[in-house]
C-alpha cells in the first residue's frame, strides 16, 4: 500500500500526438498508482515505433491495453468489469487485440488467459520491450504471455512519450521493484526486486523535459529512498560490488542534489518514501535547496508498534516519530502525508487508538486511508486470518478520516496571511477565470488568472482556505521564474 492512488485519474485513456506514417490505433487505459501511468507512457513510446497512434475511442482501436493494479481487490474488480466492456466491442470488431499489462498481469499470469477469454496477451511490468514480439504471436494465432521479472530492466533507455501532459509537470522513474516485504503488499511479487536507473539517464531525461519547457519533475519509485546506483544490478547485491563501484556509488540524496544543482529553475518532488530508508542526508538536501519541494509522502500504515511488526514494517512507532521530529527540526515548513490501513489482522482498539494519537502528533497535511483488503499471494493472506469484521474496519476508517480532515484544515489554515510560491498547472475546476497550481508543500492553490500563464512561477498572497485548497491573489512572479 506504499503507492499513492489518485482516484480522479483511474481508467484514464491516454493520447499523444500522432505520427503521420502510423496506421494502427492503440487504446491504452491505466489504473493504480503513478508508476502505472508512467509505465503506460513507456508502452506508448515503444508501440509508437511499431506503427501505433493512440486513440481515446475504444471502438476504433486495433490494440487495447489496460495497465492494471493489484493493490486492492476493488482495483482488480474494476479491471474485470472493463474487460467485459471490451468484450462487447470485440464482438463487433473481432480483429481487435486485447492485452493486460502491469501488476494484475504479473499476479495472475496464465490464469488471465484461462479466465478472461477476451485477453490475447498478458504482459508483466518488466516485459514491455517484448510487446512487438507478443503482438506478432497473437497475429499468428498464439496466446502471448511474458511475466518474467527482470533483475536489470529499468527502461532507462526509453524516452517516455508524455501522455495527456500539461507540459508543466512530469514523472521520471528512478527505481523499479521493492525489497521491503510488507506482509500486506503485492509489489515485491508483481514488480520484483529493487534496481536503480543510471543517474546519467535520469539527468538526460530531465534535461529533455527542461528543454521542452517542463517546470517540475517528480522522481518516482516504489521506494525512492532506496535508490542506489553502483553500475547496475540489484540493490541487495551491493555488498558484492567492487571497492571502486562502492566508492563511486550514487545514493538518493546525491541524486536529488545532482538534479537540484543541474536544473536550478526546475522544481523537484519525489515519491514514495519508506521511513526506515529515509536517511538524514536526504532531509538535509531538501533543506539545502529551494527548488526541492518541502513535501514528503511518508507512509506509516499504523501507529501501533505491534501491528507494524505484524506488517513487517522495518520501523517502530517510536522510530517513526523520531524521524518526523527530525524532519520538522530541519525543515519547519515541511508538509507530510501518510498512507494508513484500518483493520489490519489482529488490530485491537488499543492499536487503533495508537494510530489516532500518532496522527495527532505528526500533524499530516493529508493522507490516503483504506480499510484492510486481503490480497492473494501476500504473506498476510498466507499467514494471518482476516479477523476484523467489516463494520469494525469501516468504523475505524471513518474515525481515521475524521481526524485527518480536522488536522488537514488546521494545517492548511497556517498559510492564510502568508505568501507562497505556486507553479501554475491548469485552469481551476471551480472557475474558468482562475488558475490552479500547487505550492512547495503540495497544497492546491487557486487565484484569479490576470495576465499569468500555465507554467509560470508566481507569488500568491493567501487570503482564505478550505481543508484542501488555498485561495488567494497573485502579487508577482517568484524568483524561480526564468
Amino acid at each position: 500500500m506504499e503507492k499513492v492512488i489518485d482516484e480522479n485519474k483511474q481508467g484514464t485513456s491516454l493520447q499523444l500526438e500522432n505520427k503521420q506514417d502510423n496506421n494502427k490505433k492503440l487504446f491504452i487505459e491505466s489504473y493504480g498508482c503513478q508508476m502505472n501511468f508512467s509505465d503506460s507512457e513507456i508502452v506508448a513510446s515503444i508501440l509508437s515505433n511499431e506503427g501505433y497512434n493512440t486513440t481515446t475511442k475504444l471502438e476504433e482501436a486495433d490494440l487495447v491495453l489496460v495497465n492494471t493494479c493489484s493493490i486492492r481487490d476493488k482495483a482488480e474488480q474494476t479491471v474485470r468489469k472493463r474487460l467485459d466492456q471490451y468484450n462487447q466491442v470485440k464482438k463487433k470488431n473481432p480483429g481487435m487485440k486485447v492485452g493486460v499489462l502491469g501488476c494484475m498481469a504479473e499476479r495472475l499470469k496464465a490464469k488471465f488467459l484461462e479466465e478472461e477469454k477476451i485477453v490475447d496477451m498478458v504482459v508483466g511490468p518488466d516485459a514491455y520491450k517484448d510487446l512487438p514480439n507478443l503482438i506478432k504471436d497473437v497475429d499468428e494465432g498464439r496466446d502471448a504471455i511474458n511475466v518474467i521479472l527482470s533483475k536489470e530492466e529499468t527502461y532507462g533507455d526509453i524516452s517516455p512519450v508524455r501522455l495527456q501532459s500539461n507540459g508543466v509537470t512530469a514523472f521520471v522513474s528512478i527505481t523499479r521493484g521493492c525489497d521491503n516485504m510488507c506482509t500486506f503488499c503485492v509489489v515485491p511479487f508483481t514488480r520484483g526486486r529493487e534496481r536503480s536507473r543510471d543517474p546519467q539517464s535520469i539527468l538526460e531525461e530531465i534535461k529533455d523535459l527542461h528543454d521542452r519547457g517542463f517546470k517540475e519533475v517528480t522522481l518516482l519509485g516504489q521506494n525512492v529512498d532506496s535508490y542506489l546506483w553502483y553500475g547496475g544490478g540489484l540493490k541487495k547485491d551491493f555488498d558484492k560490488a567492487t571497492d571502486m563501484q562502492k566508492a563511486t556509488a550514487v545514493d538518493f540524496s546525491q541524486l536529488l542534489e545532482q538534479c537540484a544543482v543541474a536544473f536550478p529553475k526546475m522544481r523537484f518532488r519525489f515519491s514514495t518514501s519508506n521511513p526506515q530508508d529515509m536517511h538524514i542526508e536526504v532531509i538535509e538536501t531538501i533543506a539545502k535547496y529551494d527548488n526541492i519541494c518541502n513535501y514528503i509522502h511518508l507512509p506509516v500504515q499504523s501507529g501501533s508498534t505491534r501491528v507494524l511488526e505484524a506488517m513487517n514494517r522495518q520501523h517502530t512507532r517510536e522510530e517513526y516519530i523520531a524521524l518526523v521530529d527530525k524532519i520538522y527540526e530541519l525543515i519547519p515548513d515541511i508538509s507530510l502525508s501518510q498512507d494508513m490501513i484500518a483493520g489490519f489482522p489482529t488490530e485491537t482498539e488499543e492499536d487503533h487508538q495508537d494510530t489516532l494519537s500518532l496522527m495527532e502528533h505528526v500533524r499530516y497535511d493529508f493522507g490516503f486511508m483504506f480499510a484492510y483488503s486481503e490480497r492473494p499471494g501476500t504473506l498476510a493472506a498466507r499467514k494471518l486470518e482476516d479477523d476484523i469484521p467489516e463494520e469494525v474496519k469501516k468504523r475505524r476508517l471513518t474515525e481515521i478520516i475524521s481526524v485527518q480532515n480536522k488536522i488537514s484544515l488546521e494545517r492548511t489554515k497556517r498559510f492564510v496571511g502568508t505568501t507562497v510560491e505556486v507553479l501554475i498547472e491548469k485552469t481551476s475546476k471551480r472557475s474558468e477565470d482562475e488558475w490552479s497550481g500547487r505550492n512547495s508543500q503540495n497544497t492546491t492553490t487557486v487565484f484569479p488568472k490576470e495576465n499569468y500563464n500555465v507554467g509560470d512561477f508566481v507569488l500568491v498572497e493567501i487570503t482564505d482556505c478550505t481543508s484542501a485548497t488555498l485561495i488567494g491573489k497573485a502579487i508577482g512572479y517568484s524568483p524561480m521564474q526564468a
Side-chain angles (χ1 to χ4, degrees):
M1 204 88 51
E2 294 287 289
K3 308 193 292 180
V4 177
I5 295 178
D6 184 345
E7 298 295 350
N8 294 323
K9 293 182 67 175
Q10 300 307 297
T12 304
S13 61
L14 304 173
Q15 188 167 27
L16 60 113
E17 188 174 338
N18 288 342
K19 283 187 177 179
Q20 191 171 354
D21 295 335
N22 286 0
N23 55 19
K24 293 176 284 188
K25 292 194 179 294
L26 165 68
F27 178 92
I28 183 166
E29 199 169 71
S30 303
Y31 294 86
C33 70
Q34 192 57 53
M35 283 294 289
N36 276 11
F37 286 82
S38 178
D39 279 358
S40 290
E41 295 178 345
I42 291 170
V43 169
S45 182
I46 291 168
L47 293 179
S48 176
N49 295 327
E50 297 295 320
Y52 285 89
N53 283 331
T54 55
T55 178
T56 56
K57 296 178 181 177
L58 176 62
E59 294 74 17
E60 67 179 25
D62 300 294
L63 174 62
V64 175
L65 299 175
V66 56
N67 202 338
T68 62
C69 174
S70 272
I71 204 74
R72 302 200 299 274
D73 183 62
K74 177 186 173 185
E76 291 199 1
Q77 295 308 317
T78 300
V79 169
R80 290 184 185 276
K81 288 175 184 175
R82 281 301 278 159
L83 290 172
D84 288 339
Q85 293 168 336
Y86 296 163
N87 204 12
Q88 299 305 312
V89 177
K90 193 170 184 179
K91 286 176 183 176
K92 301 173 186 175
N93 180 13
M96 186 176 86
K97 295 184 283 286
V98 176
V100 175
L101 312 178
C103 294
M104 193 174 171
E106 189 66 43
R107 191 179 79 75
L108 292 174
K109 301 181 172 64
K111 289 181 182 177
F112 241 128
L113 297 173
E114 299 159 10
E115 294 176 11
E116 308 287 352
K117 299 304 180 187
I118 175 182
V119 172
D120 300 301
M121 60 179 136
V122 181
V123 190
D126 289 348
Y128 297 143
K129 286 182 185 173
D130 198 31
L131 271 165
N133 295 325
L134 296 172
I135 291 169
K136 185 178 178 183
D137 284 344
V138 175
D139 286 339
E140 294 173 359
R142 298 187 295 274
D143 287 336
I145 181 169
N146 185 342
V147 290
I148 297 170
L149 290 174
S150 169
K151 293 183 179 181
E152 291 85 26
E153 186 60 81
T154 63
Y155 299 109
D157 58 333
I158 302 288
S159 181
V161 179
R162 302 296 164 179
L163 297 162
Q164 290 190 334
S165 169
N166 58 12
V168 177
T169 62
F171 291 85
V172 172
S173 293
I174 66 169
T175 71
R176 296 184 76 83
C178 186
D179 286 351
N180 295 315
M181 301 297 289
C182 301
T183 58
F184 54 78
C185 188
V186 297
V187 167
F189 308 106
T190 60
R191 287 187 172 268
R193 302 302 296 264
E194 283 180 19
R195 62 269 189 209
S196 299
R197 271 181 70 181
D198 182 341
Q200 193 58 41
S201 76
I202 295 168
L203 291 168
E204 286 171 0
E205 186 175 336
I206 295 171
K207 183 179 186 305
D208 176 64
L209 291 166
H210 173 271
D211 292 347
R212 288 159 54 195
F214 284 78
K215 300 295 180 67
E216 181 180 286
V217 163
T218 299
L219 304 176
L220 200 63
Q222 249 71 47
N223 183 9
V224 290
D225 300 286
S226 276
Y227 178 88
L228 182 63
W229 173 260
Y230 60 97
L234 300 177
K235 183 184 178 183
K236 72 179 184 67
D237 294 332
F238 179 65
D239 59 347
K240 301 173 187 174
T242 66
D243 290 343
M244 178 60 73
Q245 284 176 316
K246 290 178 179 178
T248 57
V250 177
D251 66 14
F252 182 57
S253 65
Q254 293 167 323
L255 175 69
L256 197 55
E257 183 167 45
Q258 287 179 17
C259 293
V261 170
F263 305 98
K265 294 298 183 180
M266 292 183 82
R267 230 166 43 168
F268 291 92
R269 302 182 187 275
F270 55 89
S271 185
T272 295
S273 294
N274 210 300
Q276 70 265 22
D277 296 311
M278 175 164 275
H279 303 300
I280 186 67
E281 290 82 8
V282 173
I283 305 167
E284 290 172 342
T285 301
I286 299 169
K288 184 177 179 181
Y289 294 97
D290 290 339
N291 61 331
I292 301 176
C293 291
N294 287 348
Y295 166 66
I296 302 173
H297 181 59
L298 197 64
V300 64
Q301 312 303 353
S302 172
S304 161
T305 293
R306 192 191 66 79
V307 172
L308 290 171
E309 185 176 357
M311 292 175 167
N312 197 36
R313 303 286 286 173
Q314 302 299 307
H315 60 86
T316 64
R317 170 193 175 93
E318 291 73 23
E319 288 167 341
Y320 185 89
I321 288 174
L323 173 62
V324 167
D325 290 347
K326 176 57 70 172
I327 291 171
Y328 278 129
E329 177 189 330
L330 295 180
I331 317 169
D333 203 26
I334 197 80
S335 282
L336 301 176
S337 61
Q338 44 85 348
D339 286 354
M340 204 72 76
I341 300 172
F344 189 78
T346 76
E347 182 186 74
T348 65
E349 283 300 319
E350 183 179 356
D351 295 325
H352 173 58
Q353 291 301 319
D354 282 347
T355 292
L356 299 181
S357 66
L358 178 90
M359 294 172 69
E360 293 283 3
H361 178 91
V362 176
R363 314 293 292 168
Y364 298 104
D365 286 68
F366 41 92
F368 304 87
M369 298 149 285
F370 311 100
Y372 175 69
S373 168
E374 185 176 270
R375 308 308 299 124
T378 60
L379 292 170
R382 295 202 300 270
K383 296 187 176 182
L384 297 172
E385 181 187 352
D386 187 3
D387 59 351
I388 309 299
E390 285 303 312
E391 62 270 19
V392 175
K393 288 182 186 178
K394 289 178 181 177
R395 192 249 310 156
R396 290 176 183 171
L397 178 60
T398 298
E399 292 176 5
I400 288 171
I401 292 172
S402 177
V403 169
Q404 184 58 63
N405 287 343
K406 174 182 74 75
I407 296 172
S408 292
L409 179 58
E410 293 168 359
R411 291 290 290 165
T412 306
K413 280 182 176 178
R414 82 187 195 270
F415 293 109
V416 175
T418 70
T419 299
V420 301
E421 179 187 81
V422 177
L423 172 59
I424 300 174
E425 297 179 32
K426 59 187 177 182
T427 295
S428 169
K429 289 180 180 177
R430 72 177 198 168
S431 171
E432 285 290 319
D433 299 322
E434 292 182 332
W435 288 126
S436 174
R438 287 171 296 157
N439 67 358
S440 177
Q441 290 80 6
N442 208 37
T443 306
T444 297
T445 306
V446 297
F447 54 94
K449 284 186 172 180
E450 298 180 325
N451 296 319
Y452 299 103
N453 298 298
V454 168
D456 285 346
F457 284 103
V458 295
L459 296 174
V460 180
E461 197 172 74
I462 304 304
T463 56
D464 200 0
C465 72
T466 67
S467 63
T469 305
L470 299 174
I471 302 163
K473 178 178 173 57
I475 58 173
Y477 294 108
S478 89
M480 282 286 286
Q481 184 73 5

